[in-house]
Amino acid sequence: MTEMSRRGALGAIGGGALLLGGCDRIAATDTARAAFLGAEGLTYRVQRLVTPRDALAPEFTGADLSPVFRANGTFMPRAPDYQALLADQFAGYRLAVGGLVARPLAIPLDQLKSLPQRTQITRHDCVEGWSAIGQWTGPALGPILRHAGLSQAARYIVFHCFDDLGGTAYYESIDLVDAFHPQTILAWALNGRPLPVANGAPVRLRVERQLGYKHAKYVRAIEAVADLRAIGRGKGGYWEDVSDYAWYAGL
Ligand SMILES: Nc1nc2c(c(=O)[nH]1)N[C@H]1C(S)=C(S)[C@@H](COP(=O)(O)O)O[C@H]1N2
Ligand SMILES: [Mo]
């Protein structure tokens, strides 16, 4: 990207009041975190003492890349709207950004690719007992949320996906600390190429301080909410709802 277009994109996404940092809001969520209850509350608090939440996940080099980045869960969403988008190489894809925002967005894939990009080589850890190292590229989530004018009332970011497992739509959610973490990106490329369908095309979340199931593939919409109880069965994610996986899956 040329310096001009880069500044143009930055200007578009950083304008005016949007530059109000996530900092105030993140401080406010400390209270919410402290109030977090349930079996995982302890892990959540202990983790915060051991590792600062803004610490970076380890990054690797090209020499460390897994020869094949395996896929897990859904390999091919069967939803007709997804199939129609795929048939047209996602030309009609629009990432919806809504919920508790001042300006709901519908961002075409080309526009996501023209924002300032981050590329990172990280290790993905699945609870089923495998890991893989891949290189991911995409815009950071934080500036997009600022551009949408995230409301002060927002506490969580929900990712709604195109696929379902056994008839239940996949979704995930993260708090604002992870949402504004510098390595939290909306990846559209794996190892320098557009995402294979099996790995979440056209766009998947990378939230590098968390376990694999938090990395929502096939993202169709992002929703800012104050509370997770009204989403799905209320535990903040597909696996949290169906198998009691921890909502906070920090590494
Ligand atoms: N939409 C969606 N996202 C998903 C899943 C899924 O089945 N559907 N599986 C999760 C799990 S358990 C893991 S380990 C990773 C796998 O990502 P990969 O297929 O790129 O390896 O995606 C996560 N995100
Ligand atoms: Mo996983």
Side-chain angles (χ1 to χ4, degrees), residues 125-149:
D125 295 306
C126 173
V127 283
E128 291 168 24
W130 58 272
S131 300
I133 293 180
Q135 175 193 277
W136 305 98
T137 301
L141 175 62
I144 293 172
L145 295 174
R146 286 199 196 102
H147 186 54

Side-chain angles (χ1 to χ4, degrees), residues 69-75 124-128 130 136 161-163 165 170-172 190 198-200 204 206 211-219 239 245:
F69 196 99
R70 62 175 278 186
N72 198 29
T74 301
F75 283 58
H124 178 101
D125 295 306
C126 173
V127 283
E128 291 168 24
W130 58 272
W136 305 98
C161 305
F162 280 103
D163 62 318
L165 293 173
Y170 202 97
Y171 79 101
E172 256 304 338
L190 169 60
N199 300 110
R204 65 107 41 94
R206 292 302 307 172
L211 285 170
Y213 60 89
K214 303 295 289 186
H215 300 238
K217 305 195 282 189
Y218 317 112
V219 178
W239 286 110
Y245 281 23

Side-chain angles (χ1 to χ4, degrees), residues 53-70:
R53 289 286 309 280
D54 54 1
L56 295 180
E59 292 192 15
F60 300 83
T61 71
D64 304 313
L65 290 173
S66 299
V68 175
F69 196 99
R70 62 175 278 186

Side-chain angles (χ1 to χ4, degrees), residues 16-220:
L18 308 178
L19 282 174
L20 275 178
C23 302
D24 293 351
R25 204 166 4 245
I26 285 168
T29 62
D30 278 340
T31 324
R33 279 205 302 276
F36 195 86
L37 295 175
E40 65 192 306
L42 186 62
T43 332
Y44 196 48
R45 285 190 295 270
V46 167
Q47 181 104 29
R48 286 194 57 225
L49 297 175
V50 176
T51 328
R53 289 286 309 280
D54 54 1
L56 295 180
E59 292 192 15
F60 300 83
T61 71
D64 304 313
L65 290 173
S66 299
V68 175
F69 196 99
R70 62 175 278 186
N72 198 29
T74 301
F75 283 58
M76 171 59 80
R78 55 187 179 175
D81 55 349
Y82 183 86
Q83 287 295 323
L85 290 167
L86 173 60
D88 206 13
Q89 281 145 52
F90 302 108
Y93 174 79
R94 302 285 182 275
L95 173 67
V97 182
L100 295 173
V101 299
R103 291 171 293 279
L105 306 173
I107 313 175
L109 194 53
D110 280 354
Q111 202 174 321
L112 283 173
K113 295 180 181 178
S114 73
L115 296 172
Q117 304 288 300
R118 185 181 162 93
T119 292
Q120 58 205 27
I121 299 179
T122 53
R123 197 187 66 213
H124 178 101
D125 295 306
C126 173
V127 283
E128 291 168 24
W130 58 272
S131 300
I133 293 180
Q135 175 193 277
W136 305 98
T137 301
L141 175 62
I144 293 172
L145 295 174
R146 286 199 196 102
H147 186 54
L150 191 64
S151 151
Q152 289 293 330
R155 289 291 175 269
Y156 306 97
I157 306 299
V158 181
F159 301 85
H160 297 282
C161 305
F162 280 103
D163 62 318
D164 65 85
L165 293 173
T168 305
Y170 202 97
Y171 79 101
E172 256 304 338
S173 61
I174 58 177
D175 66 14
L176 297 187
V177 178
D178 275 324
F180 285 91
H181 187 283
Q183 288 169 319
T184 298
I185 66 175
L186 296 174
W188 57 268
L190 169 60
N191 297 341
R193 299 176 161 275
L195 287 186
V197 167
N199 300 110
V203 172
R204 65 107 41 94
L205 175 68
R206 292 302 307 172
V207 51
E208 304 293 356
R209 299 292 311 282
Q210 301 271 336
L211 285 170
Y213 60 89
K214 303 295 289 186
H215 300 238
K217 305 195 282 189
Y218 317 112
V219 178
R220 66 174 168 79

